[in-house]
Amino acid sequence: YNCGLWLAYSFHQDNLFIFFSNLPGFMLGFFFTLVGYGLTSQVRKLAIEVYSGTLNCVVMVTGLLVTNYIDKREDQRILLGSLANFCLMCYYSFPLSTIMHVIRTKSAASLHLPLSLLSGLNGLLWFGYGMAIADYFIAVPNGLGALLAGLQLVLIFLFRKGSPCTDPTIVQNQMSERSRTDSKEKLPIFPI
């Protein structure tokens, strides 16, 4: 949905660079959601349906507002940009719970170095582009995302996967958490 909202924003701004940069992400996201939907349990299928249905309604209402009820082009841009920013900030903020876990356990095993590097690079490039064209709807959230990815990289450096944890409480919590996780049925995670 993030890429889809940026596609709508690109139409409004008549910006082909934003359009063609987000089109592959939109198509791949749609494909992976359909594949994940077909391979997941009934409970997760319901979650996908509710999530997708809610977001589709939000996008349709936004489209109706922009095309029928909001006359000023700048107000349309603000609405589309704000909604796209909301989805983008959700994307960039998902690792926050993992970051707290890394700090608490002093282990970066749950952070993925290539994903953190590419998220940071993505944020930096979009930040630079947003600043170059003076579009703060693009620059600000991507700059914040680059900072969050930078924080992840610092944590990966500080708490490498191989670094042992010496606090007995944290070690005991990790062991009990692993045993609980291993005993549960593992359900596939659906992509969004």
Side-chain angles (χ1 to χ4, degrees):
Y1 286 98
N2 178 46
C3 289
L5 290 167
W6 285 111
L7 288 175
Y9 187 78
S10 74
F11 283 130
H12 187 270
Q13 296 299 103
D14 296 322
N15 189 320
L16 291 177
F17 182 77
I18 297 172
F19 177 80
F20 284 112
S21 297
N22 284 283
L23 185 61
F26 176 76
M27 292 168 53
L28 286 171
F30 185 70
F31 171 76
F32 287 128
T33 300
L34 290 177
V35 169
Y37 182 82
L39 297 174
T40 195
S41 69
Q42 285 302 116
V43 173
R44 293 208 184 223
K45 282 183 180 180
L46 180 62
I48 292 171
E49 291 166 2
V50 169
Y51 179 79
S52 296
T54 302
L55 284 177
N56 283 331
C57 287
V58 168
V59 169
M60 286 190 300
V61 167
T62 303
L64 285 171
L65 287 173
V66 167
T67 57
N68 295 320
Y69 298 105
I70 300 175
D71 295 330
K72 292 183 182 176
R73 189 160 172 81
E74 181 62 18
D75 291 343
Q76 294 172 349
R77 185 180 82 85
I78 289 170
L79 179 62
L80 287 171
S82 298
L83 190 57
N85 275 329
F86 174 75
C87 280
L88 182 61
M89 290 315 298
C90 287
Y91 164 75
Y92 279 129
S93 66
F94 282 140
L96 288 178
S97 61
T98 303
I99 288 172
M100 295 310 296
H101 175 74
V102 167
I103 292 170
R104 196 171 45 254
T105 62
K106 298 186 183 342
S107 169
S110 58
L111 292 175
H112 193 238
L113 178 62
L115 180 62
S116 298
L117 280 171
L118 290 176
S119 287
L121 180 62
N122 178 61
L124 279 175
L125 292 173
W126 278 111
F127 171 76
Y129 179 71
M131 292 302 289
I133 65 169
D135 190 331
Y136 299 107
F137 279 116
I138 296 172
V140 172
N142 283 291
L144 292 173
L147 289 175
L148 284 173
L151 174 62
Q152 291 176 52
L153 292 171
V154 167
L155 291 174
I156 289 171
F157 176 75
L158 290 176
F159 306 119
R160 290 176 194 78
K161 292 178 184 177
S163 61
C165 179
T166 56
D167 185 347
T169 308
I170 292 174
V171 171
Q172 181 62 36
N173 287 343
Q174 286 175 336
M175 291 174 62
S176 63
E177 192 174 291
R178 279 191 200 125
S179 65
R180 280 195 314 264
T181 304
D182 292 341
S183 65
K184 292 180 183 175
E185 176 190 347
K186 295 195 178 182
L187 297 173
I189 298 174
F190 61 89
I192 295 182

